Amino acid sequence: MRQQARKPFDKSKIPQDLCPIATELSELKTGDWRAERPVVDRDKCVKCATCWLYCPTQCVEEKPTWFEAGLEICKGCGVCAQECPHQAIAMVEEVEE
């Protein structure tokens, strides 16, 4: 058996205080940096599930008579609006509250 060229990494030599002082971890979701959000026209939606099929983040949720994007996960890419065969989804600029 061939030996390794270097010695294995020794975890015991890592200092325990690598995190800088006054640093807080915050959970960042993909919906936090979205510039545009999808808005579904419920009258045009025929629930064909094309938006659900093409969504790269799988944030599209099924409602009783339409589909809607879960805005916590939606990154605003616009694939759902582009692929909708009924033009039931429009991308609207995200505004700060």
Side-chain angles (χ1 to χ4, degrees), residues 1-65:
M1 181 187 286
R2 232 174 125 183
Q3 289 190 347
Q4 286 182 291
R6 296 184 189 175
K7 292 181 182 178
F9 184 72
D10 186 10
K11 292 181 182 178
S12 66
K13 294 182 181 179
I14 299 175
Q16 297 298 319
D17 58 349
L18 285 180
C19 187
I21 296 173
T23 301
E24 287 184 31
L25 296 176
S26 63
E27 187 176 318
L28 183 65
K29 297 181 181 173
T30 53
D32 294 341
W33 48 266
R34 177 181 58 244
E36 291 183 324
R37 63 184 171 91
V39 176
V40 178
D41 183 348
R42 295 177 186 174
D43 294 329
K44 290 182 178 180
C45 182
V46 296
K47 206 170 174 182
C48 65
T50 303
C51 55
W52 177 85
L53 183 66
Y54 282 96
C55 180
T57 59
Q58 287 298 295
C59 70
V60 178
E61 302 166 355
E62 185 176 5
K63 300 294 181 181
T65 57

